[in-house]
Amino acid sequence: MEFEDIRYEIDGPAAVVTIDRPERYNAFRGRTVDELIKAFRLAWADKQVQAVILTGAGEKAFCTGGDVKQRAETGDYGPTESGMFEIGNLHKLIRDIPKPVIAAVNGVAVGGGHVLHVLCDVTIASETARFGQAGPRVGSFDAGFGSAYLARVVGEKKAREIWFFCRQYDAAEAERMGLVNAVVPPGELLKTAKAWADDTAALSPTALRFLKQSFNADTDHQAGLSNLAMSALDLFTASPEGLEGAQAFAEKRKPDFVSHVNWH
């Protein structure tokens, strides 16, 4: 299968999925999401694959979320096979695939990229990785898994801090708050992720499948919140306030959100 925005490789028991848009800091457009969905489905169907590693190309970024430049240029995230931007289906697929998903965070994981790593079962971070949210800075948000599930991972207070202040956190602090499982030197990142994937190959796939579904069962109701949030986000990004965020980002200026707010 031909991919343009990602790379898909099988390495022993691991499927390595790499977002390959380093010129855009591995931000995803509609095509990227389509290709990620195809890759995870391939990994699901492949009996050789015991775990999936999700990472980003280059050393600067794991993923910086939706391509805000694309949104500023066209008002959306570009063409897709279905005509829909299927990020919600990607989120669901990362949770539903009955195999452990390991995020190997090689650089900046912010915005929608931060949500992707949070949804992975475990996260291994390079010492150079940085984590945070940027949505409210660019006229976007994730009021579904990206906030509700994040609160389960790091606690309510920390999750609200992450979203309300859009700060960035280094790998050491991310490990302290329980946002990542391990921190390793940059040159050891993929090697470590593959070693963790190798460990899963010695375990019962059926047991892991039931365990993952059991862990997910406690938060599956958040899928409803996610659907509601995605519908709200579609409306918000087309509003004057949402458009101002994308335009200001593209023009490298401070956004003027307040003049567009309707408090009633």
Side-chain angles (χ1 to χ4, degrees):
M1 183 172 292
E2 293 293 326
F3 292 114
E4 180 179 332
D5 286 10
I6 73 166
R7 299 197 307 268
Y8 181 82
E9 304 159 298
I10 302 297
D11 189 334
V16 183
V17 181
T18 306
I19 303 172
D20 192 15
R21 304 187 76 219
E23 75 285 355
R24 291 285 178 105
Y25 292 91
N26 295 324
F28 51 73
R29 56 180 175 168
R31 181 188 180 99
T32 319
V33 173
D34 283 352
E35 292 184 5
L36 286 169
I37 288 172
K38 287 182 181 178
F40 273 89
R41 286 177 174 162
L42 285 173
W44 188 326
D46 191 338
K47 292 182 179 179
Q48 177 184 336
V49 173
Q50 300 298 311
V52 181
I53 297 170
L54 179 63
T55 191
E59 299 177 354
K60 293 182 178 179
F62 168 74
C63 177
T64 53
D67 191 336
V68 182
K69 287 186 178 179
Q70 170 84 42
R71 184 157 68 91
E73 291 165 3
T74 65
D76 58 21
Y77 289 109
T80 64
E81 287 187 0
S82 67
M84 298 182 293
F85 183 51
E86 304 213 36
I87 189 65
N89 287 333
L90 175 60
H91 290 173
K92 189 173 186 298
L93 188 53
I94 292 172
R95 285 173 58 85
D96 287 352
I97 184 172
K99 304 174 182 184
V101 181
I102 302 166
V105 179
N106 52 303
V108 176
V110 299
H114 189 264
V115 175
L116 291 182
H117 106 82
V118 168
L119 285 169
C120 292
D121 296 296
V122 296
T123 297
I124 303 169
S126 163
E127 291 171 341
T128 59
R130 295 189 68 83
F131 301 85
Q133 265 307 329
R137 278 202 180 122
V138 295
S140 183
F141 58 82
D142 185 329
F145 285 121
S147 52
Y149 182 64
L150 176 65
R152 293 293 185 99
V153 175
V154 299
E156 284 279 350
K157 292 285 188 179
K158 203 67 180 179
R160 289 170 192 247
E161 176 189 317
I162 288 169
W163 273 102
F164 289 174
F165 302 100
C166 293
R167 295 169 180 156
Q168 288 193 14
Y169 306 85
D170 63 24
E173 186 166 1
E175 186 178 25
R176 284 196 296 272
M177 73 173 83
L179 190 61
V180 307
N181 298 83
V183 178
V184 298
E188 298 292 314
L189 180 63
L190 271 182
K191 180 181 176 181
T192 303
K194 289 175 182 178
W196 284 37
D198 288 343
D199 288 344
T200 67
L203 305 174
S204 162
T206 302
L208 294 181
R209 176 176 189 161
F210 275 102
L211 285 166
K212 180 164 181 174
Q213 290 172 346
S214 177
F215 284 125
N216 285 347
D218 184 49
T219 53
D220 271 345
H221 67 281
Q222 292 177 357
L225 298 176
S226 183
N227 290 337
L228 184 65
M230 291 297 175
S231 296
L233 185 59
D234 286 343
L235 294 175
F236 175 67
T237 54
S239 72
E241 185 181 349
L243 292 171
E244 166 64 10
Q247 198 63 44
F249 180 86
E251 296 173 0
K252 298 182 179 180
R253 61 173 173 82
K254 184 178 180 180
D256 175 19
F257 290 124
V258 175
S259 63
H260 297 288
V261 174
N262 181 0
W263 295 106
H264 304 291

